[in-house]
Amino acid sequence: MTLQFKNLLNDDRSASLGKAAPAEDVPVGFMVLATCPLILWLLDGTVAGFASAILIISLFGVGLLFLSIGQKAHIAYDSCEIAARPRIPFKLIGSTIVALVVGLLATTKIDLPAIPLVIGISIFILCLIAFGLDPMRDKGMDNPAMKHRIINTQLYQNFDDRCEDLLLSLARLEDDDLFERTRIAVNTIMGLLGTIDVATPTLQRIAPSVNKLLDKMQLEVATLLAAPEGKVTPFQRRKFLIKIQTLVDTFETRARQRGIGQGRDNFELQTDLLFNRMHRYQAA
């Protein structure tokens, strides 16, 4: 317990210095006990006094809960390179509730309204000093490269998911050779897209073309699956492979014209594409 208390007072982890305290280690529940001496002011032996004490304790507990939630959200915000500001300022709300509770307790013994008001404001300021303010702005979103990285990562994942769905649908035909050739074509597409720098808007510019390509490929797969009794004729099979290969070759040609898939850093991609072509020619 002593070691834990020392960790909470560590200058390197203090929230009052603008750094996040370990919210998971803070015994927030024990902080409710801080109001117990003041709660005794309300216990005058009446039902109304007892109900008021329960209400005050509940409000104080809600305020501390909000402070704890806000502190954990702040820790998550600090640990991420890119993060949106919290939609609800829990620490600010919690500090306000705690200050309101202490101010209300002060009014039970102090007749002059100004003094409880000053006490409440002082408690509010002390809470802000102890826990800090909630993050007020998005983190990392003002960097254009970071914005491109977020958008491009989502785009690439979406393309990858669509390709996986396409292959899963094709697997229902239980044609290993057809599945393998289509997988090679899909790998060619994703390999080319994988060479694009996610910090540039290149992937966003070609995204409509990629979506159209995947739409056509999915349409061809759906046509195969619609065959009577799920039996694909040799002619349908050959027609499907020709169309898929034409689409992929066209995409690869246009991608290279835009400078995608070029450079010494893409040696692994070039090797993969070469082996893919070898597999296609051997299968043909």
Side-chain angles (χ1 to χ4, degrees), residues 41 119 254 276:
W41 290 352
I119 293 176
R254 292 180 178 178
N276 288 346

Side-chain angles (χ1 to χ4, degrees), residues 52-66:
S52 300
I54 295 298
L55 177 61
I56 290 298
I57 291 176
S58 300
L59 283 176
F60 192 75
V62 171
L64 293 179
L65 177 63
F66 279 14

Side-chain angles (χ1 to χ4, degrees), residues 21-284:
E24 65 274 8
D25 297 333
V26 177
V28 176
F30 289 102
M31 294 179 66
V32 180
L33 300 177
T35 60
C36 288
L38 301 179
I39 296 300
L40 295 176
W41 290 352
L42 302 175
L43 298 177
D44 53 4
T46 63
V47 176
F50 180 76
S52 300
I54 295 298
L55 177 61
I56 290 298
I57 291 176
S58 300
L59 283 176
F60 192 75
V62 171
L64 293 179
L65 177 63
F66 279 14
L67 286 172
S68 177
I69 295 174
Q71 192 75 343
K72 290 180 180 179
H74 201 156
I75 290 176
Y77 175 89
D78 287 340
S79 64
C80 297
E81 183 181 0
I82 306 170
R85 68 182 184 275
R87 295 183 179 180
I88 302 176
F90 282 106
K91 290 202 288 186
L92 185 62
I93 296 174
S95 299
T96 302
I97 294 176
V98 171
L100 178 63
V101 168
V102 176
L104 289 175
L105 286 173
T107 59
T108 62
K109 294 297 181 180
I110 303 175
D111 296 331
L112 189 62
I115 296 180
L117 179 62
V118 172
I119 293 176
I121 294 175
S122 300
I123 294 298
F124 179 75
I125 294 174
L126 288 174
C127 284
L128 293 183
I129 294 175
F131 296 98
L133 283 172
D134 301 272
M136 295 300 180
R137 61 181 62 185
D138 296 334
K139 181 180 179 182
M141 299 300 292
D142 54 346
N143 187 348
M146 198 67 70
K147 289 183 179 179
H148 290 315
R149 186 175 291 111
I150 296 173
I151 297 173
N152 291 335
T153 301
Q154 294 175 346
L155 281 175
Y156 186 86
Q157 185 60 49
N158 179 58
F159 295 149
D160 187 63
D161 291 341
R162 292 189 63 181
C163 289
E164 287 294 329
D165 292 340
L166 185 148
L167 293 175
L168 287 175
S169 299
L170 191 62
R172 290 158 51 187
L173 294 175
E174 298 181 353
D175 188 327
D176 294 339
D177 182 65
L178 189 66
F179 179 87
E180 182 63 21
R181 293 195 191 189
T182 307
R183 185 190 65 79
I184 292 174
V186 167
N187 288 347
T188 300
I189 296 172
M190 297 307 299
L192 286 168
L193 295 179
T195 65
I196 299 175
D197 186 0
V198 293
T200 64
T202 303
L203 186 59
Q204 298 169 48
R205 287 200 300 266
I206 69 171
S209 300
V210 178
N211 281 319
K212 289 181 180 179
L213 170 66
L214 295 178
D215 288 341
K216 292 179 180 179
M217 295 178 67
Q218 288 177 329
L219 179 61
E220 295 299 327
V221 172
T223 302
L224 278 186
L225 294 175
E229 301 180 359
K231 296 181 179 180
V232 180
T233 64
F235 174 75
Q236 290 176 316
R237 190 173 182 277
R238 186 166 56 255
K239 181 180 178 181
F240 171 81
L241 291 174
I242 292 174
K243 285 187 176 181
I244 292 296
Q245 194 53 55
T246 302
L247 289 172
V248 174
D249 288 343
T250 303
F251 173 77
E252 182 181 350
T253 300
R254 292 180 178 178
R256 290 185 179 280
Q257 289 175 351
R258 297 189 181 190
I260 298 174
Q262 296 180 0
R264 292 186 302 173
D265 294 338
N266 299 320
F267 175 77
E268 184 178 356
L269 169 66
Q270 306 300 332
T271 305
D272 290 340
L273 294 179
L274 177 60
F275 278 111
N276 288 346
R277 292 192 187 93
M278 290 174 61
H279 286 307
R280 293 202 302 264
Y281 293 151
Q282 290 175 358

